[in-house]
Amino acid sequence: MARIWLLVLGLCMYSLSYTSAQQGGTECLKANAKSCGECIQAGPNCGWCTKVDFLQEGEPTSARCDDLAALKSKGCPEDSIQNPRGSKEKLKDNAITNKAKGERMDPANITQIRPQQLRFELRSGEPQTFNLTFRRAEDYPIDLYYLMDLSYSMKDDLENVKSLGTALMTEMEKITSDFRIGFGSFVEKTVMPYISTTPAKLLNPCTTDQNCTSPFSFKNVLNLTSDGRLFNDLVGKQQISGNLDSPEGGFDAIMQVAVCGEQIGWRNVTRLLVFSTDAGFHFAGDGKLGGIVLPNDGKCHMHDNMYTMSHYYDYPSIAHIVQKLSENNIQTIFAVTEDFQPVYKELKNLIPKSAVGTLSSNSSNVIQLIIDSYNSLSSELILENSKLPEGVTINYKSFCKNGVIGTGENGRKCSNISLGDQVQFEISVTAHKCPKKDQTESIKIKPLGFTEEVEILLKFICECDCQQSGTPDSPDCHHGNGTFECGACRCNEGRIGKKCECSTEQVSNEDMDAQCRKENSSEICSNNGDCICGQCVCKKRDNPNEVYSGKFCDCDNFNCDRSNGQICGGNGICKCRVCECFPNFSGSACDCSEDKSTCMASNGQLCNGRGVCECGRCKCTDPKFQGQTCEMCQTCAGVCTEHKECVQCRAFQKGDKQAVCNDECFHFNYTMVDSRDKLPQPGQADALTHCKEKDADDCWFYFTYSVNANSEVHVHVVKDPECPSGPDIIPIVAGVVAGIVLIGLALLLIWKLLMIIHDRREFAKFEKEKMNAKWDAVSIQRFFKFRFMGITW
């Protein structure tokens, strides 16, 4: 039995392996790969067989490309399968810096993210994954640039900002010991209709009783500095200006602050831009009102700290602003009045790593607004990547504080991060095809608002190793008409065929077509293929698991006999329209099981000794018997009934065959046992049957009938039959008498009840008649009395 189970298990594993190989190779076969390089780009599970004689007759070169398991099942040795895999390598992985507060360090030497550089070798469809770790460094340097609207409506705000430098320095020292601040201002483009261009208004755009400075687009008043008093001095000298329309030219100023890093003095540290205004903003397209049609070029145009091209270039678009702020790692804080909160909150949703604060009417709360906005920005981490090469995708998964896990777009960010908190990201990069030109690319991943980044160098696996060792102009490719590589010929231009034996001009030659016909047949390649260079190249079917093969494409693996709706009954492989059965199966459809365990009867005999086992089923030789193991006979007595007379005469010397016992009943040996417990049990004897029969004296006797492997019959008989004891007369008589008495009493009670009911009915009838007679006597007396008195009744 153990051997049977091992055989069944092996069969199942073989079948599963074959089925998975057929299903898994679908994408590989569909690719119709002509070379090993094309094959490995079809999918991560595709391999190329380099064995020279691997292909069957009629199979195209693309049949070398298949699922790894399918290639092995078709006879390709493992060392002949090309299956290059991707890899990853860390090139730079400096540890995250532990910086104490007050410790001065070059920002370039502070590390908050690891690893810093990796190299990936990517194969199509196979992702490469790495873990990115980030931890905010304590006491990290901050550069803050205050960009203020100096239109006339901001007059009272300017007074409060004049003392901002030293006050903000004091507050920021609680966050960082390395803080710098700068100041810039903006008004509007210096053309109509944004400002008045009359000479007087160009000198003083305000009313005659107000002293205002000339209008300008953007002015860098103070480069970033750690001197708070200098900030106060220079800002204190600033004057309000004016313009005509309500929206301001703030986007021009933001663009110049972002791209003019050298003039502003930005360091590679945390960069904050505070944008303070009480009005809306112009954006791309609004410049047409002033005759300005050239799009903003996103470059620095500062001369003597003034933006000089506002009259030449249009306002930047929101997308352009987002791009430049992100490229230069600048986080923006919009400090705006209550009236314009909705506008700038919508703008915040479009600009990553930005915040909006409500500015009081005179900017008195600007310091607290900056502190709160900075804390909000620094508590959120968002990863972004550079433009991905064509055919490359990237996937993020975040592992944030308090066990929060994010996937999809949420996998790019973590929130509520405090100083010292460490978070991780699982990042997967997958190539889906090879680039057209350069096989090396790079991706940069960085947290928004930070200068640090992770660089991933990409190298694409687009060819197999065997292609590097190919033989150009190989004699194996028909006198050097191709390169022999990876077990097959890659033909030169103008040549075709498995061995590059034909030119493209010879494809339709009639003499070659004759070589593709079977003898006495007019069909080219059996109508299942194309004749190329005098050889049949079989067609592919819609189902990639169905294949034509053979010299004339006259073979296939799907037109074999079927059983139970399956080719070869699911128990074999169809080769050239003939089933090759798995072990333990036979027949044209492999539907004949050679496993005889299903024919084994409970007595241990095949078909109970009454038939032969064919295809896992009993074929009974005696037509009287039927059933799965020839165990049933509707017209014949059972074993017990058949032999009970002989057992009775041999063991007890009685019965109908007592006179002929010596002649008819000596075909078995018998043994007497003391009790039924001593009879043989199933498993102790071959073909064992337990019997219980009645003898001539109406007693039960027990015996077993068994036949061993040598067809010898042995009977075991219990020596004492079980005879029923005689009836006990007294209880029977007493029961009968008691029953008669009880029945008599019941009948008397019923009779008595009926008599009582009858008597009561008769008495009631008598009483009624008596009452009727009394009424008649009274009526007669009254009649005569009235008659006598002369009264008519």
Side-chain angles (χ1 to χ4, degrees):
M1 184 62 71
R3 284 184 293 177
I4 293 173
W5 277 110
L6 285 173
L7 185 61
V8 172
L9 180 62
L11 176 60
C12 292
M13 292 182 67
Y14 184 87
S15 179
L16 284 173
S17 172
Y18 177 74
T19 302
S20 63
Q22 282 189 320
Q23 294 176 346
T26 300
E27 63 177 3
C28 310
L29 293 171
K30 282 184 176 180
N32 198 27
K34 298 296 190 297
S35 67
C36 186
E38 292 179 13
C39 177
I40 63 173
Q41 293 179 52
N45 297 318
C46 298
W48 178 272
C49 185
T50 61
K51 185 181 178 184
V52 176
D53 57 350
F54 171 70
L55 297 178
Q56 300 179 30
E57 278 190 305
E59 280 192 303
T61 303
S62 59
R64 292 182 178 273
C65 181
D66 208 339
D67 180 86
L68 303 179
L71 291 176
K72 292 177 184 177
S73 68
K74 292 178 182 178
C76 186
E78 190 167 353
D79 58 358
S80 296
I81 298 176
Q82 287 284 304
N83 180 36
R85 312 310 302 176
S87 63
K88 59 187 175 184
E89 178 187 2
K90 292 181 180 179
L91 301 179
K92 188 177 181 182
D93 188 21
N94 296 333
I96 293 176
T97 304
N98 292 314
K99 181 179 181 294
K101 189 169 184 179
E103 180 185 358
R104 287 283 180 172
M105 290 184 66
D106 184 351
N109 295 329
I110 298 175
T111 301
Q112 299 178 104
I113 189 170
R114 67 179 300 190
Q116 294 81 40
Q117 190 178 46
L118 304 99
R119 180 189 291 118
F120 283 177
E121 290 192 356
L122 296 178
R123 176 175 169 178
S124 293
E126 181 185 31
Q128 294 296 327
T129 303
F130 75 100
N131 291 327
L132 182 150
T133 304
F134 177 87
R135 186 175 70 216
R136 279 184 59 197
E138 295 190 31
D139 197 30
Y140 195 70
I142 299 174
D143 284 353
L144 186 147
Y145 193 83
Y146 197 93
L147 183 60
M148 185 175 180
D149 177 6
L150 284 188
S151 59
Y152 188 77
S153 59
M154 294 286 287
K155 180 179 180 181
D156 55 347
D157 299 81
L158 180 60
E159 294 302 319
N160 285 312
V161 174
K162 289 179 179 179
S163 61
L164 176 66
T166 52
L168 187 57
M169 281 284 186
T170 303
E171 289 297 323
M172 293 300 288
E173 283 177 357
K174 300 175 183 178
I175 299 174
T176 178
S177 60
D178 188 0
F179 176 71
R180 298 197 311 165
I181 189 171
F183 185 83
S185 58
F186 66 91
V187 180
E188 187 55 278
K189 288 185 180 294
T190 55
V191 296
M192 282 288 288
Y194 313 110
I195 66 167
S196 175
T197 55
T198 61
K201 289 295 184 181
L202 287 176
L203 293 175
N204 184 4
C206 303
T207 58
T208 54
D209 59 339
Q210 297 290 335
N211 186 20
C212 296
T213 188
S214 299
F216 58 90
S217 178
F218 165 68
K219 177 168 58 176
N220 176 34
V221 178
L222 175 65
N223 291 348
L224 290 161
T225 178
S226 57
D227 189 348
R229 290 186 179 85
L230 178 59
F231 180 93
N232 292 349
D233 292 343
L234 289 177
V235 174
K237 297 176 182 178
Q238 300 305 304
Q239 289 181 303
I240 292 297
S241 185
N243 61 321
L244 295 178
D245 62 341
S246 176
E248 315 293 4
F251 273 19
D252 273 343
I254 291 176
M255 178 61 76
Q256 293 305 300
V257 171
V259 299
C260 298
E262 293 184 7
Q263 290 85 339
I264 302 298
W266 291 116
R267 298 177 296 171
N268 285 329
V269 297
T270 299
R271 299 174 177 179
L272 299 178
L273 170 62
V274 179
F275 182 84
S276 176
T277 184
D278 65 348
F281 50 83
H282 285 295
F283 52 89
D286 289 353
K288 293 180 180 179
L289 296 173
I292 303 172
V293 295
L294 282 178
N296 194 288
D297 64 353
K299 296 180 180 178
C300 181
H301 297 287
M302 296 276 290
H303 183 68
D304 291 336
N305 288 324
M306 296 289 289
Y307 178 38
T308 58
M309 301 296 285
S310 67
H311 64 286
Y312 192 75
Y313 290 113
D314 192 6
Y315 301 99
S317 66
I318 295 176
H320 205 177
I321 289 288
V322 171
Q323 178 191 354
K324 293 302 178 181
L325 289 175
S326 176
E327 285 180 1
N328 293 281
N329 308 305
I330 297 174
Q331 304 176 63
T332 309
I333 300 172
F334 295 104
V336 297
T337 54
E338 183 71 33
D339 294 340
F340 286 91
Q341 282 288 307
V343 175
Y344 282 91
K345 283 183 178 178
E346 289 296 325
L347 182 61
K348 168 190 172 295
N349 294 333
L350 300 174
I351 302 179
K353 294 293 283 184
S354 63
V356 177
T358 303
L359 190 68
S360 62
S361 59
N362 58 3
S363 297
S364 59
N365 68 331
V366 67
I367 293 178
Q368 190 59 46
L369 185 154
I370 292 173
I371 298 298
D372 292 343
S373 298
Y374 169 74
N375 290 332
S376 173
L377 289 171
S378 60
S379 67
E380 184 177 45
L381 180 70
I382 302 175
L383 295 184
E384 69 167 1
N385 52 264
S386 60
K387 183 179 179 181
L388 297 174
E390 185 180 1
V392 175
T393 58
I394 190 166
N395 183 61
Y396 294 86
K397 185 177 182 180
S398 60
F399 299 87
C400 306
K401 189 177 178 181
N402 299 323
V404 177
I405 298 176
T407 56
E409 282 302 309
N410 290 328
R412 291 175 173 265
K413 56 187 177 182
C414 283
S415 302
N416 301 319
I417 303 174
S418 304
L419 285 174
D421 289 343
Q422 183 168 298
V423 294
Q424 280 197 334
F425 295 85
E426 183 181 274
I427 304 175
S428 298
V429 180
T430 308
H432 300 282
K433 64 179 182 179
C434 282
K436 296 178 180 179
K437 296 181 181 179
D438 193 5
Q439 292 188 358
T440 58
E441 296 279 358
S442 68
I443 302 174
K444 292 183 179 180
I445 302 173
K446 69 174 183 178
L448 282 173
F450 293 84
T451 57
E452 296 178 66
E453 63 185 16
V454 178
E455 183 181 26
I456 306 175
L457 305 177
L458 304 180
K459 182 180 179 181
F460 298 88
I461 303 175
C462 300
E463 292 187 348
C464 302
D465 293 339
C466 59
Q467 291 180 265
Q468 307 298 324
S469 56
T471 306
D473 304 326
S474 171
D476 292 327
C477 299
H478 197 265
H479 308 300
N481 286 317
T483 300
F484 189 79
E485 60 182 27
C486 305
C489 286
R490 180 164 56 84
C491 300
N492 296 335
E493 187 175 354
R495 304 295 297 186
I496 56 174
K498 283 187 179 180
K499 299 293 184 181
C500 309
E501 62 270 32
C502 292
S503 68
T504 53
E505 299 174 356
Q506 295 175 303
V507 172
S508 59
N509 191 300
E510 292 186 5
D511 292 335
M512 290 188 175
D513 287 348
Q515 301 177 38
C516 296
R517 296 189 187 97
K518 293 177 70 174
E519 190 175 354
N520 298 324
S521 174
S522 61
E523 296 177 343
I524 295 178
C525 299
S526 305
N527 287 333
N528 296 324
D530 300 315
C531 185
I532 299 178
C533 297
Q535 292 183 342
C536 286
V537 176
C538 302
K539 294 178 181 177
K540 290 188 176 182
R541 291 175 60 85
D542 293 336
N543 183 350
N545 293 325
E546 297 180 353
V547 179
Y548 288 114
S549 60
K551 181 178 180 180
F552 301 104
C553 300
D554 51 344
C555 292
D556 61 60
N557 65 347
F558 53 88
N559 274 320
C560 289
D561 291 345
R562 294 174 180 258
S563 178
N564 295 325
Q566 293 182 296
I567 297 175
C568 301
N571 302 316
I573 301 174
C574 181
K575 290 188 176 181
C576 202
R577 303 182 182 180
V578 177
C579 287
E580 289 188 4
C581 301
F582 295 149
N584 218 30
F585 287 94
S586 60
S588 62
C590 300
D591 53 352
C592 182
S593 173
E594 296 178 359
D595 181 12
K596 296 184 178 181
S597 61
T598 55
C599 297
M600 194 68 66
S602 58
N603 59 16
Q605 286 188 309
L606 283 175
C607 303
N608 275 298
R610 303 182 185 115
V612 293
C613 186
E614 293 182 357
C615 298
R617 295 183 179 180
C618 283
K619 184 176 181 180
C620 304
T621 53
D622 190 336
K624 292 187 300 181
F625 291 93
Q626 58 185 345
Q628 185 175 354
T629 55
C630 303
E631 73 277 9
M632 294 185 297
C633 178
Q634 303 292 342
T635 60
C636 56
V639 172
C640 299
T641 304
E642 181 181 353
H643 298 287
K644 78 170 188 176
E645 294 297 336
C646 284
V647 172
Q648 195 175 181
C649 80
R650 291 282 302 276
F652 303 110
Q653 292 79 43
K654 56 184 178 180
D656 295 341
K657 289 192 177 184
Q658 186 176 1
V660 292
C661 191
N662 293 334
D663 297 328
E664 297 182 9
C665 298
F666 267 83
H667 60 280
F668 62 86
N669 297 320
Y670 76 96
T671 302
M672 303 296 289
V673 297
D674 294 332
S675 65
R676 291 165 59 185
D677 296 338
K678 301 294 180 66
L679 290 174
Q681 300 300 316
Q684 297 178 356
D686 297 329
L688 181 68
T689 303
H690 278 260
C691 299
K692 176 184 177 181
E693 297 291 339
K694 277 190 176 182
D695 62 11
D697 298 327
D698 213 24
C699 296
W700 293 104
F701 67 98
Y702 298 89
F703 65 94
T704 60
Y705 185 92
S706 61
V707 181
N708 63 19
N710 297 323
S711 297
E712 295 175 348
V713 180
H714 198 93
V715 177
H716 289 75
V717 187
V718 178
K719 65 180 181 180
D720 295 322
E722 291 183 358
C723 296
S725 57
D728 193 346
I729 301 299
I730 294 175
I732 294 173
V733 172
V736 171
V737 171
I740 293 172
V741 171
L742 291 173
I743 291 171
L745 289 174
L747 292 173
L748 285 174
L749 289 172
I750 293 169
W751 176 81
K752 181 64 177 175
L753 180 62
L754 292 173
M755 290 303 295
I756 291 170
I757 293 171
H758 179 266
D759 289 345
R760 287 184 177 180
R761 286 179 177 174
E762 289 296 321
F763 179 75
K765 183 177 180 182
F766 169 76
E767 286 291 326
K768 184 177 180 182
E769 290 176 352
K770 181 180 178 181
M771 290 298 294
N772 290 337
K774 184 177 180 180
W775 184 85
D776 290 341
V778 173
S779 298
I780 292 170
Q781 288 176 2
R782 287 181 178 177
F783 172 79
F784 284 108
K785 181 179 180 180
F786 290 142
R787 188 75 175 173
F788 177 77
M789 294 174 69
I791 301 172
T792 304
W793 177 256

